[in-house]
Amino acid sequence: MSDASISSRTTSELEKEKNALQQQIEELRQTLSELTDNGVQQAEGHDLNQNPINAHSKSGYLSKWQDRAIGWGGTKWDLRFVRLEQGRLCYYRSHEDAAPRYMLTLKRCAVRDDGHKPNKRFRKNQSSDIVPLQTCNAFFHIFSIYVRPNGNEQNADDDNDEEIVPLLRFSTMSYAEKNQWIELISEACAYCNTDEFAQNENDNFSFERTPRSAKKLKGTLPMMHFDSGDDSIRSVPSFRELKVSYLKTNSSKDASTSNSKQKSGYPPSKPMHRCTEPSYLSNEAPVQNYRGFLNLGFIIFIISNLRLLMGTIQEYGFVIARGGGVVSALSFVDLPFISGLGLLNVFISQAYLIELNSSRGLLRERLSTSLHLVNANLALFVSIAIVWCLIDSPIGGCMLLMCAVTTWMKLLSYMHANTDYRNHPNRASLKVIDSLDQDSLDIVYPENVTLSNIYYFCFAPTLTYQIAFPRMPCRRWFRIATLTGRLVLSISAMYFLLNQVISPPLGEMIKELEAHDQKYAMFSFEIMTKYLPKLTIACTYTWLLVFYAYFHLFFNLLAEILKFGDRVFYKDWWNSSNVSSYWRLWNLPVHYWLIRHVYFPCIRKGVTKGNAMFIVFFISAVLHEVMISIPFHMIRPWCFLGMMGQIPLVAVTKYFDKIWPGSSIGNVIFWFSFCVIGQPTAILMYTIDYWKMESERNSDTMDLNSTLFESTREEL
């Protein structure tokens, strides 16, 4: 309102308007007061059983301990959105998730203050060396939630620390924040043990578990989008604010058509450039759909592989048609192989008998542990002796040793876990396990020590024993049939690649070495440059097929038959931005076994984190070398050295990932080291060593035969 209009109005008119406004304000105040009084009366008269207390509610971001993942620097803490409400604690990947990743009812639970540890990245004040505990970001303040081992009859301070196993563990860099969380969680735990909570337990609180999203994990590349994003480049249009209406009705007959015959419908002066926009392939462009490039990549992939296949057929012929079929592929199934599998069952039964006697108190703790260790090691070393002395087929020996190593790891886990259950019965908590079947809901040690239990564990796709596993409600026979069909097709593709693409170049290399008598040309630059490119693509395909057939199809087939619920056998290792992430995501059953039975036992013995990780890597390298060298009847260090050589590569890729987070440099180094250099070079080295060993063995046999022939001729 302008000054001229205010001065033109009389004082009486302004007074009337003022009084009207004051009356409206009074009416609004009275209405608000009535609404407030009604709300208080409703709250006082409302039944508490229909409205559970909401005083113990809180939400916010906390760092959650990832107890099933380790990196080169130790255990991992990931940021999670945590929500406490109505006696239940839930955590989400972020506040944008609609449903929690996990939900814990705090009945029979308690919260524990785990103290604090200094933040090494915090810069102290130079004037004072003492940092107060309340200083923000100076410490990691940690607390955990656990199931009370002795019920609720006594104070939580009286709970035995040896019997406490944290279900969830969180940390925050705010001392006040931690105290508030601890106070509210403790009050919620107390509320969960009241009759009010029991009556309202199922009221308006049901969640569906969030499906696993394709979000970026730590140590992996950002996700690639193949659809356009919601956000776009916001332009600043050039127009003037319209203060009047310019509405006009077009009288033309074809005004509604897009191809109007009128010149004014699409004039030659129509503006084509109307806003500022970047090019589609620019960094500042919105997310684009690259599905066409993906289709082009598939076309190039098919054509290049057909060219590779036709080249091998033209150069070496159709190798499989000349010999080698299903009979030769299964020639390793003989008496020593079957006997080795039978002996593994004997060792499994012996582990059950040892644990059964230990649970009944017939064996002392130290004697029980010694018998378990002897039994597990015999399962491994007897199988090694059978392969070394009786099985000539490398494929058969490798398969038997893989079963033996798996059994060895399972028996050690069975011993380790049951020893813990026996000495600390309250640690066998099923509260943290979802989707249990009816037979496992109330199982306690030693009810789990049965022959069916240990055999279920031995056939289940896991290496870490626990008293009960998540189970599926039923078997899906159609899925079993499709998994079996895909497994057969994958094995057939691997067999074809080995015989048609990989074996002929190796045979040609052996003939070249024999022609030139180059018995010590292992590291010949000529051989490497000639045969390494021929093996790179085929070895990569075979490796990916082995991963798909074994870790996905075979494990899921076992899980479907046994109704095993947890089927995350791997994560997105192909997006690894450093080598450490690859080893953490590639084989989760082995990773979990190494965490539980190697890494943390070393930590409890006082070993540093770096040395504990070195021990983990060393054991993994030794087991890989055993499964390759023993079936070929030659002790060579190439696989062991290749794996131990990953340690400096871990440091290099982690450095690149740190200075350029989210870049593809570490991922490219990972693929190049594994597919271009590592695996083809190892195959060439083992092939040359195997040929040298066979050549020496054949020459010794020929010398022995000639000596016998000469001695027989002289006698005659």
Side-chain angles (χ1 to χ4, degrees):
M1 187 178 294
S2 61
D3 295 338
S5 61
I6 293 177
S7 60
S8 62
R9 300 173 62 182
T10 61
T11 306
S12 59
E13 291 178 352
L14 293 175
E15 285 289 333
K16 290 181 181 179
E17 188 173 349
K18 177 183 175 182
N19 294 332
L21 290 174
Q22 288 179 348
Q23 185 177 0
Q24 291 180 6
I25 291 173
E26 278 299 317
E27 292 176 355
L28 291 174
R29 285 179 178 175
Q30 185 176 1
T31 304
L32 181 61
S33 177
E34 292 176 357
L35 291 175
T36 304
D37 293 339
N38 292 334
V40 172
Q41 293 175 3
Q42 290 178 3
E44 292 176 350
H46 197 275
D47 188 5
L48 289 175
N49 292 332
Q50 301 297 326
N51 185 20
I53 61 174
N54 200 32
H56 314 128
S57 300
K58 183 176 173 59
S59 60
Y61 277 92
L62 295 173
S63 294
K64 178 184 172 294
W65 184 48
Q66 303 297 325
D67 57 344
R68 299 196 304 169
I70 59 172
W72 197 255
T75 54
K76 299 292 183 183
W77 293 79
D78 286 339
L79 202 63
R80 293 289 183 265
F81 183 76
V82 184
R83 173 186 169 194
L84 174 65
E85 185 177 356
Q86 298 181 13
R88 296 169 178 87
L89 187 74
C90 316
Y91 70 83
Y92 307 72
R93 184 179 291 275
S94 70
H95 65 279
E96 298 176 351
D97 289 355
R101 305 277 294 179
Y102 179 76
M103 181 176 65
L104 175 66
T105 302
L106 297 177
K107 189 174 183 179
R108 293 188 71 251
C109 291
V111 60
R112 182 175 67 176
D113 187 349
D114 290 334
H116 62 277
K117 61 180 181 180
N119 184 4
K120 297 180 180 179
R121 298 183 179 179
F122 179 77
R123 294 184 178 180
K124 298 181 180 180
N125 191 357
Q126 296 180 356
S127 60
S128 176
D129 295 333
I130 301 176
V131 180
L133 192 62
Q134 293 79 8
T135 304
C136 191
N137 298 330
F139 300 94
F140 294 103
H141 304 279
I142 304 169
F143 63 95
S144 58
I145 302 166
Y146 66 95
V147 177
R148 301 199 61 187
N150 299 318
N152 303 303
E153 292 78 18
Q154 58 185 4
N155 293 329
D157 291 335
D158 298 328
D159 291 341
N160 187 1
D161 288 335
E162 293 295 327
E163 303 293 339
I164 292 176
V165 179
L167 300 178
L168 294 172
R169 204 168 182 219
F170 300 100
S171 73
T172 176
M173 288 190 286
S174 172
Y175 182 70
E177 184 82 356
K178 185 191 77 167
N179 290 335
Q180 188 179 14
W181 274 105
I182 288 177
E183 181 180 358
L184 292 176
I185 292 174
S186 62
E187 293 175 359
C189 292
Y191 164 68
C192 288
N193 294 292
T194 61
D195 296 335
E196 295 178 4
F197 176 80
Q199 295 176 5
N200 298 284
E201 189 171 1
N202 298 319
D203 289 353
N204 301 324
F205 207 95
S206 61
F207 282 112
E208 295 292 333
R209 181 174 291 275
T210 304
R212 294 189 177 273
S213 60
K215 292 187 178 181
K216 178 184 179 299
L217 296 175
K218 190 172 183 179
T220 59
L221 296 175
M223 183 175 60
M224 179 180 288
H225 296 273
F226 292 98
D227 55 350
S228 57
D230 295 332
D231 51 343
S232 58
I233 297 294
R234 297 189 177 274
S235 57
V236 182
S238 175
F239 64 90
R240 297 180 180 178
E241 186 177 356
L242 305 179
K243 297 183 179 180
V244 295
S245 175
Y246 285 85
L247 180 62
K248 181 183 182 300
T249 302
N250 197 329
S251 60
S252 175
K253 295 181 179 181
D254 60 346
S256 60
T257 62
S258 57
N259 298 316
S260 177
K261 295 181 180 179
Q262 288 186 336
K263 189 175 182 180
S264 59
Y266 203 98
S269 60
K270 189 175 183 70
M272 295 290 102
H273 307 283
R274 305 172 187 176
C275 60
T276 57
E277 285 187 313
S279 300
Y280 268 36
L281 297 180
S282 301
N283 293 332
E284 61 271 15
V287 179
Q288 301 297 329
N289 186 357
Y290 298 103
R291 190 168 182 176
F293 282 123
L294 182 64
N295 295 334
L296 176 63
F298 275 118
I299 294 173
I300 296 175
F301 172 79
I302 294 173
I303 293 176
S304 61
N305 286 279
L306 284 177
R307 179 180 176 276
L308 173 66
L309 181 61
M310 295 304 296
T312 56
I313 293 177
Q314 291 176 359
E315 186 174 358
Y316 306 108
F318 201 66
V319 179
I320 298 180
R322 296 201 302 264
V326 176
V327 177
S328 62
L330 298 178
S331 60
F332 62 86
V333 183
D334 51 8
L335 183 60
F337 181 82
I338 297 175
S339 301
L341 293 179
L343 284 175
L344 290 178
N345 285 273
V346 173
F347 294 118
I348 293 172
S349 302
Q350 290 180 168
Y352 159 69
L353 293 176
I354 295 170
E355 189 58 39
L356 181 64
N357 291 318
S358 301
S359 64
R360 294 176 178 177
L362 301 178
L363 296 176
R364 293 184 177 180
E365 193 64 40
R366 185 170 297 179
L367 179 59
S368 172
T369 303
S370 301
L371 290 176
H372 270 301
L373 290 175
V374 170
N375 182 65
N377 289 323
L378 280 176
L380 177 61
F381 289 105
V382 169
S383 301
I384 290 176
I386 292 175
V387 173
W388 186 268
C389 301
L390 301 176
I391 298 180
D392 294 329
S393 171
I395 298 179
C398 186
M399 292 187 66
L400 180 59
L401 273 185
M402 186 177 295
C403 295
V405 171
T406 302
T407 304
W408 176 75
M409 298 172 76
K410 285 176 179 280
L411 292 182
L412 290 180
S413 179
Y414 185 77
M415 173 206 69
H416 209 171
N418 277 307
T419 301
D420 195 51
Y421 292 149
R422 186 165 56 252
N423 296 326
H424 306 279
N426 292 312
R427 289 184 180 177
S429 174
L430 302 177
K431 196 177 186 67
V432 74
I433 305 175
D434 292 337
S435 305
L436 291 173
D437 57 2
Q438 292 296 326
D439 297 334
S440 304
L441 286 176
D442 299 319
I443 188 172
V444 294
Y445 184 88
E447 295 176 1
N448 62 307
V449 184
T450 61
L451 198 60
S452 60
N453 181 274
I454 189 174
Y455 264 99
Y456 179 87
F457 168 60
C458 288
F459 283 99
T462 180
L463 296 175
T464 50
Y465 179 78
Q466 58 192 54
I467 201 167
F469 295 96
R471 302 289 294 272
M472 297 293 288
C474 62
R475 297 181 181 90
R476 294 170 291 181
W477 294 105
F478 180 75
R479 179 170 173 80
I480 291 175
T482 56
L483 287 172
T484 304
R486 284 187 285 170
L487 184 61
V488 172
L489 289 176
S490 299
I491 294 175
S492 302
M494 283 188 287
Y495 181 75
F496 178 80
L497 284 173
L498 288 172
N499 286 274
Q500 183 65 47
V501 184
I502 296 178
S503 295
L506 296 177
E508 181 184 354
M509 180 186 67
I510 295 301
K511 291 179 181 178
E512 182 178 346
L513 292 175
E514 290 176 346
H516 295 84
D517 196 21
Q518 297 179 0
K519 292 186 178 181
Y520 302 99
M522 183 184 303
F523 297 102
S524 172
F525 180 76
E526 180 182 357
I527 290 178
M528 292 297 175
T529 55
K530 182 177 181 180
Y531 293 101
L532 200 65
K534 292 184 178 181
L535 296 175
T536 298
I537 297 178
C539 288
T540 303
Y541 292 160
T542 305
W543 178 47
L544 294 177
L545 280 172
V546 168
F547 159 75
Y548 179 70
Y550 187 67
F551 289 100
H552 183 73
L553 297 178
F554 181 67
F555 278 7
N556 273 282
L557 180 61
L558 284 179
E560 195 67 39
I561 294 173
L562 298 174
K563 297 192 291 186
F564 189 82
D566 188 2
R567 304 184 181 183
V568 184
F569 309 116
Y570 56 89
K571 292 183 180 179
D572 55 338
W573 56 266
W574 47 86
N575 290 329
S576 300
S577 57
N578 55 72
V579 177
S580 176
S581 298
Y582 163 75
W583 289 113
R584 192 172 65 250
L585 304 175
W586 151 265
N587 189 345
L588 289 185
V590 172
H591 181 67
Y592 292 157
W593 187 89
L594 292 171
I595 289 174
R596 193 212 269 185
H597 302 296
V598 179
Y599 178 80
F600 277 108
C602 291
I603 295 296
R604 288 193 291 269
K605 292 295 183 181
V607 181
T608 62
K609 292 188 293 184
N611 291 335
M613 285 303 302
F614 179 83
I615 293 173
V616 167
F617 226 85
F618 181 83
I619 293 175
S620 179
V622 170
L623 292 178
H624 278 79
E625 188 61 65
V626 165
M627 287 189 292
I628 294 178
S629 292
I630 300 299
F632 284 94
H633 301 86
M634 58 181 186
I635 305 299
R636 297 294 185 273
W638 309 127
C639 183
F640 176 81
L641 293 178
M643 289 199 65
M644 298 305 292
Q646 300 289 314
I647 296 178
L649 203 60
V650 166
V652 172
T653 52
K654 284 182 74 69
Y655 174 75
F656 286 136
D657 194 26
K658 182 178 180 180
I659 60 175
W660 294 304
S663 68
S664 299
I665 297 177
N667 188 256
V668 171
I669 294 175
F670 150 68
W671 284 113
F672 193 84
S673 62
F674 272 77
C675 300
V676 179
I677 297 178
Q679 295 178 14
T681 304
I683 290 176
L684 289 176
M685 289 181 174
Y686 279 110
T687 302
I688 294 173
D689 284 344
Y690 190 71
W691 164 72
K692 288 169 59 179
M693 184 186 68
E694 290 294 322
S695 299
E696 293 174 358
R697 183 183 302 174
N698 293 333
S699 62
D700 294 340
T701 304
M702 292 179 61
D703 293 340
L704 179 61
N705 292 334
S706 61
T707 303
L708 292 175
F709 178 76
E710 289 294 334
S711 61
T712 304
R713 188 178 65 175
E714 290 177 358
E715 290 179 359
L716 293 175

